[in-house]
Amino acid sequence: MAASEDAKASSLRYAFGNVIAFFILLLIGILAFSIRLFSVIKYESVIHEFDPYFNYRVTQYLTKNGIYDFWNWFDDRTWYPLGRVIGGTVYPGLTLTAGTLWWILNSLNIPLSVETVCVFTAPIFSANAAWATYLLTKEVKGTGAGLTAAVLLAMVPSYISRSVAGSYDNEAVAIFALIFTFYLYIKTLNTGSLFYATLNAIAYFYMVCSWGGYTFIINLIPMHVLLCIVTGRYSSRLYIAYAPLVVLGTLLAALVPVVGFNAVMTSEHFASFLVFIIINVVALVYYIKGILSPKMFKVAVTLVISVGLVVCVAVIAVLIALVASSPTMGWSGRSLSLLDPTYASKYIPIIASVSEHQPPTWPSYFMDINVLAFLVPAGIIACFSPLSDASSFVVLYIATSVYFSGVMVRLMLVFAPAACITSGIALSAAFDVFTRSIKFQLPGLSGNSPIDAGDTSSGSVVAQNETVKTEKKEDPGKERPSRKTEKNEDLSKERHSRKNKKKEKENVEKISVKPQEEKRLLVLPLEASVIAIFLLVLLGAFYVVHCVWAAAEAYSAPSIVLTSHSHDGLHVFDDFREAYAWLRHNTEVDDKVASWWDYGYQTTAMANRTVIVDNNTWNNTHIATVGTAMSSPEKPAWEIFNSLDVKYVLVVFGGLVGYPSDDINKFLWMVRIGGGVFPHIKEPDYLRDGQYRIDSEATPTMLNCLMYKLSYYRFVETDGKGFDRVRQTEIGKKYFKLTHFEEVFTTHHWMVRIYKLKPPKNRLRGKTKKSKAKATATTSSKRSVSRKNPWH
Amino acid sequence: MANRPLTFLTFLSLLPLICFSFSPENPTDRRILVLLDDLAIKSSHSIFFKSLQTRGFELDFKLADDPQITLQRYGQYLYDGLVLFSPTIERFEGSLNLAAVLEFVDSGRDLILSADVNSSDLIRNIAAECGVDFDEDPSAMVIDHIGYALSDIEGDHTLVASDSFIQSDVILGSSKIEAPVLFKGIGHSLNPANSLVMKVLGASPSSYSANPNSKLSNPPTLIGSAISLVSVVQARNNARIMIAGSLDMFSNRLLKSGVQKAGSSNKYGKSGNEQFVTELSKWVFHERGHLKAVNVKHHKAGETNEPAMYRINDDLEYSVEVYEWVGKSWEPYVANDVQVQFYMMSPYVLKTLSTNQKGLYYTSFKVPDVYGVFQFKIEYQRLGYTSLSLAKQIPVRPFRHNEYERFIPTAFPYYGASFSTMAAFFIFSIIYLYNK
């Protein structure tokens, strides 16, 4: 179909297209980077939230002391007095990445501070992730789909929420690593190149370094391999894509200290080994099939199957024995809560207490992936036309990640790239069909040189069957109106619109049948195509508007600085840093600060003081000890804290300004976690008729516990009534004194209150002073009772 | 990690605080405020005061209702010790009051307080704040119809002779007090759960506390050896307090008088009072029983520099020097029961320190196979001595990545297997590729 002229023209056109694609990619990178800068512009260039502060501190250590000291770092300023072996318990990928960036910049004489590098690591890697998405989708469905997916990913709110500038967390680089590993896997699968297979193992290694979510990869890829084998798609390419990954990847993963032997010992990895065995067996079968005559082969099959069954049974028996011998069946708590969503809330309060481990709500899907939620089904259909190894992988990816995102809101992050990829495929296919329809019907453009000329999404795969594609293409177009109504977020309407959609679909199908008869190519009516394109663009525009809004308003708050708009303007609450600065400047270097674990990382990083527990919740007992202290009355709490050498206790209190995520609202978790280890703390003691309350109806246990007292000490002095703006009620006990703690610092908005443990009394008083009238009544025995030594 | 030496420096700089009002160079130059009900006491108790003055104390006598009395000026204490010989004062003049006296004690300074029959509430409250409860009947006295002191006139047996001293060389001096101590005054009781207060002079089992002039209608609340006549308190900051129920026992008259206990044939020409109050005042004013620990050192065996951090299973040496103040100089403290703990929430190592008899205490031990933030802890609390409480934080880290054994003999089969597999694969590849 190509004359030499045509070939020349088309190669020119391809070159031109490549240049354009390159610049589009560049722009996508810039978009991905710049949309994440709202936090810096609106607030300042600071590290956000909790975990990033730890990562920042680790990076500082790395840049100061080098990689070996980092590897062997024993941190004595956290988890006092247990300490924490940072090098062996941290995923080093992020830190090493930022450290390397910093080192490169410095050796280029660009003197950026470590903090700056850390702040901007996430945006940089989102650009990388967008490019990786392009590569992956391109492998699956061609350049057009790749570019669309990359654009979508560059600004998908779910990913933005974890990668705004300052959000210096593992996920920032891990999502890139995840997508890139998948890309290399698909690339290997498509090319059968051992080179890419090796790269794939290395990318997998980087992912293992970066995030605990690597288990997703090492389960998803075996699932896909198994799927391919079962559906009869086994090929040597599949073997090359998989076998080196398991062998090299496992070896490399075991090099990461935090993974170590887990790479071969825990159940999360067993699936990959099992599939490895299976694929070898299958490879052997195919090999034998190749060298034997069909007759011989049948004999061999029965032989092999019987032997293989025996082997399989043996292996499975061994596996079951291994798994059964470990108490949690070899699964870590977090993984178990993935499989059984109710597991965590039932058994592990410390996992359940983290909000990002809760299942998401429906609105959060709309918030986090917006219109992609409606494009995904279309994309899945597009993947089936035709179903290749690569597109089946995408389908599998989206199916599993939808499940995981439904279990833990945090895993929405894994789901988002899949949604972007499928939506990208859907959108690009739709555009493909519509533009072609227009092109064929526009006067002056004859339809002689077909199909693939018109669109950026490259040739063969797309060209193969337009028929199916058109249909599917239609789908997103239809989705548009439904989405519009959806804006009202009315479920009934949604249902209604779905019905509409179906009807429309039928219509479209009818329409599409006609051209099919006329021509081999499917051509839609010109008007319909134009309108559909217009609607698609509108849809995209809504998506962009939503993403920018999400980036600017919803996900840019650093959470250590809070703002609120009120009638008299913008209020900034900088209480956290105020408190940490106070600690840094007014306490001894070796003083220990106790707080609920949420604030541990920030205290070590910003106040540079030793903490008892922090956000790395590796020791449940230690956390339970602090929880017990917080839920005990003053005296036992003092004893617990004193035994841990605690000097200061820090509580976060939002009652004055209405900051809802304060310690009183987290308090029930402290009770639960404390009670899980120390049974004398009982949750019902803190609840009145099953209700958690702090007003005058609250139980005496609640009103006397340390957390209540430290939060509400002197609170009544603010407004005379003690009205708590978070709980919207007056507090139950307003006037009380602290005997074993003294208030040393309260921030401007009372959001952080710091108390100091009083030293034991210098003298022990005798019996209390009595008026002479009463004196005669006392007997000596009574006296000795009344004078119990309070300290021993 | 630079904060380890800092900790030590902090500790050193805190040492003067531990020895509080002592200045180690010139510790005898101490000023003591003596508050009296009546200036006559100055002469009637002159022997006691003289003994203080000869030991280098500067006494400042004031009437308790002197409006000029003040303990501190511009935030600095003017005195290092306080003697309250004013049992009947209802309230002090000037800036002195109950809270000021207690604050004085809580700042680490010493107090001698003598109550007497008909003591005021103020004095009682000061005593009660220190853990001493005087008999609530203000006119009660300690009466002993068996162990009274024989005197010229057959009295009401309120002058008792007691010889139940506390068994402590530190508090009462090394020479034994032979003669009983004469006591005429009010008794008090202590809470046995209170670990800070000690009965120095107890009453005999046959004594009781009651008003001698009225008929005993109820059984007395304080009886027998529950009665304490003289008690001392060593506060947590090592401030020392002596509380006596009799002002007379410090008087020249009782200091000089002879004593014979009823029913005993031993007659002493001189009562034990002088020795008792002198020795006790030495203890109260920190001329004895004051320990200091200096030069805390620890290092790995065979090294001399103090590391910032130990590794598990390190061998380490620990040493500390302990000295006692003996009135004029710091002398080596000799004991065989000083222990060091290597402590992380509970002691992992507890070792008794060996001593070279010259004040140096030392030991060596192996760091346990547990990492974490440990403390070298010395908690030395002995009767009469100031408490020594040293804690020094030291982290213990696990092995570095290159400190493990590289080749373990038990793993040789595995090494052999892997290396032979590698070699075999190499050979196989060559053969497979080139042997066609």
Side-chain angles (χ1 to χ4, degrees), chain B residues 21-30 325:
Chain B
S21 52
F22 269 137
S23 78
E25 302 83 36
N26 203 359
T28 50
D29 184 20
R30 304 187 69 195
W325 178 252

Side-chain angles (χ1 to χ4, degrees), chain B residues 333-394:
Chain B
Y333 175 69
V334 179
N336 57 5
D337 55 358
V338 185
Q339 290 182 320
V340 66
Q341 305 171 22
F342 201 56
Y343 181 94
M344 180 176 77
M345 294 204 278
S346 60
Y348 278 72
V349 173
L350 176 62
K351 282 209 99 175
T352 305
L353 297 171
S354 329
T355 176
N356 67 349
Q357 310 287 325
K358 289 183 184 138
L360 180 71
Y361 289 82
Y362 57 91
T363 188
S364 62
F365 56 88
K366 192 189 250 316
V367 176
D369 195 3
V370 177
Y371 59 80
V373 183
F374 282 80
Q375 285 173 316
F376 289 110
K377 257 194 175 182
I378 290 188
E379 292 286 344
Y380 189 69
Q381 276 147 358
R382 287 294 173 273
L383 180 65
Y385 288 102
T386 53
S387 59
L388 272 188
S389 168
L390 307 179
K392 199 169 166 196
Q393 186 175 314
I394 186 85

Side-chain angles (χ1 to χ4, degrees), chain B residues 44-62:
Chain B
S44 65
H45 292 58
S46 59
I47 296 180
F48 174 66
F49 293 134
K50 190 68 85 3
S51 85
L52 287 179
Q53 277 161 334
T54 53
R55 300 207 308 268
F57 293 103
E58 208 176 279
L59 299 190
D60 192 355
F61 295 94
K62 290 246 170 78

Side-chain angles (χ1 to χ4, degrees), chain A residues 61 67-85 89 287 588-592 610 618-619 622 625 643-645 759-772 774-780 783-789 791-792, chain B residues 1 3-4 6-7 10 90 98 102-103 105-108 121 125 127-136 138 189-196 221-222 233-239 241 308-309 343-345 371-375 377 393 395-402:
Chain A
Y61 189 89
I67 185 161
Y68 282 106
D69 275 359
F70 163 58
W71 185 0
N72 292 302
W73 186 15
F74 173 71
D75 186 5
D76 58 342
R77 301 193 67 78
T78 166
W79 289 95
Y80 181 86
L82 307 170
R84 176 181 170 196
V85 186
T89 58
Y287 177 71
E588 297 286 329
V589 172
D590 273 340
D591 283 349
K592 283 85 188 168
T610 310
W618 64 275
N619 187 324
H622 220 50
T625 309
S643 71
L644 291 169
D645 298 330
K761 279 186 185 161
N762 193 31
R763 294 162 286 106
L764 296 178
R765 206 189 294 160
K767 66 171 183 277
T768 44
K769 290 167 259 177
K770 286 195 183 105
S771 66
K772 277 173 197 168
K774 272 165 97 184
T776 45
T778 7
T779 64
S780 60
R783 201 179 293 156
S784 68
V785 170
S786 70
R787 269 195 277 126
K788 269 219 168 142
N789 184 334
W791 305 106
H792 292 290
Chain B
M1 303 306 107
N3 54 6
R4 300 288 143 244
L6 207 88
T7 322
T10 322
E90 284 296 345
L98 171 68
L102 296 174
E103 202 182 308
V105 170
D106 289 342
S107 73
D121 279 348
N125 284 342
E129 286 289 338
C130 299
V132 167
D133 299 314
F134 281 108
D135 192 330
E136 279 144 7
S189 64
L190 309 173
N191 178 4
N194 187 337
S195 60
L196 300 178
T221 53
L222 281 179
V233 178
Q234 180 164 284
R236 287 213 165 84
N237 64 355
N238 289 334
I241 302 161
M309 191 181 264
Y343 181 94
M344 180 176 77
M345 294 204 278
Y371 59 80
V373 183
F374 282 80
Q375 285 173 316
K377 257 194 175 182
Q393 186 175 314
V396 173
R397 63 169 173 82
F399 288 113
R400 291 173 65 91
H401 68 278
N402 54 2

Side-chain angles (χ1 to χ4, degrees), chain B residues 61-371:
Chain B
F61 295 94
K62 290 246 170 78
L63 276 178
D65 52 4
D66 186 340
Q68 305 295 319
I69 311 174
T70 177
L71 285 177
Q72 53 178 334
R73 178 169 295 152
Y74 311 129
Q76 297 288 314
Y77 277 103
L78 300 172
Y79 305 100
D80 302 312
L82 180 62
V83 178
L84 289 180
F85 275 0
S86 53
T88 60
I89 187 76
E90 284 296 345
R91 69 185 274 278
F92 298 114
E93 296 293 326
S95 65
L96 198 62
N97 54 23
L98 171 68
V101 171
L102 296 174
E103 202 182 308
F104 182 77
V105 170
D106 289 342
S107 73
R109 291 167 170 80
D110 307 323
L111 169 69
I112 291 182
L113 179 141
S114 176
D116 212 331
V117 186
N118 296 319
S119 292
S120 64
D121 279 348
L122 176 66
I123 297 297
R124 285 163 173 277
N125 284 342
I126 294 176
E129 286 289 338
C130 299
V132 167
D133 299 314
F134 281 108
D135 192 330
E136 279 144 7
D137 183 355
S139 48
M141 297 181 83
V142 178
I143 304 171
D144 189 348
H145 296 300
I146 295 169
Y148 61 93
L150 291 177
S151 57
D152 303 337
I153 44 162
E154 176 70 11
D156 46 13
H157 298 167
T158 55
L159 181 66
V160 296
S162 170
D163 51 7
S164 61
F165 303 112
I166 191 171
Q167 295 303 312
S168 166
D169 285 355
V170 195
I171 297 178
L172 290 182
S174 46
S175 56
K176 192 173 182 299
I177 301 176
E178 302 288 343
V181 169
L182 291 170
F183 182 91
K184 185 185 173 88
I186 190 166
H188 58 260
S189 64
L190 309 173
N191 178 4
N194 187 337
S195 60
L196 300 178
V197 59
M198 291 163 284
K199 184 201 287 185
V200 178
L201 184 66
S204 71
S206 56
S207 55
Y208 64 97
S209 174
N211 184 348
N213 299 324
S214 67
K215 221 171 154 225
L216 206 56
S217 52
N218 300 320
T221 53
L222 281 179
I223 45 172
S225 45
I227 302 177
S228 172
L229 304 177
V230 178
S231 298
V232 293
V233 178
Q234 180 164 284
R236 287 213 165 84
N237 64 355
N238 289 334
R240 285 172 175 172
I241 302 161
M242 164 185 172
I243 294 172
S246 159
L247 187 56
D248 282 346
M249 68 179 292
F250 298 94
S251 70
N252 297 355
R253 187 171 64 83
L254 290 189
L255 255 56
K256 280 193 199 139
S257 89
V259 59
Q260 182 180 6
K261 210 171 175 179
S264 156
S265 56
N266 289 348
K267 185 171 168 48
Y268 301 94
K270 194 162 174 259
S271 72
N273 283 34
E274 181 169 5
Q275 193 185 352
F276 180 75
V277 298
T278 310
E279 294 296 334
L280 206 51
S281 71
K282 281 185 186 171
W283 182 83
V284 169
F285 290 131
H286 286 267
E287 288 172 68
R288 198 163 48 218
H290 190 97
L291 301 179
K292 71 165 180 182
V294 291
N295 279 339
V296 181
K297 281 183 197 156
H298 58 89
H299 49 80
K300 279 186 203 166
E303 295 180 14
T304 50
N305 289 335
E306 182 175 308
M309 191 181 264
Y310 285 106
R311 197 194 65 192
I312 54 174
N313 296 332
D314 267 348
D315 288 304
L316 66 82
E317 288 170 358
Y318 177 87
S319 68
V320 59
E321 290 172 35
V322 184
Y323 296 99
E324 182 190 359
W325 178 252
V326 290
K328 293 187 176 52
S329 60
W330 291 102
E331 295 289 327
Y333 175 69
V334 179
N336 57 5
D337 55 358
V338 185
Q339 290 182 320
V340 66
Q341 305 171 22
F342 201 56
Y343 181 94
M344 180 176 77
M345 294 204 278
S346 60
Y348 278 72
V349 173
L350 176 62
K351 282 209 99 175
T352 305
L353 297 171
S354 329
T355 176
N356 67 349
Q357 310 287 325
K358 289 183 184 138
L360 180 71
Y361 289 82
Y362 57 91
T363 188
S364 62
F365 56 88
K366 192 189 250 316
V367 176
D369 195 3
V370 177
Y371 59 80

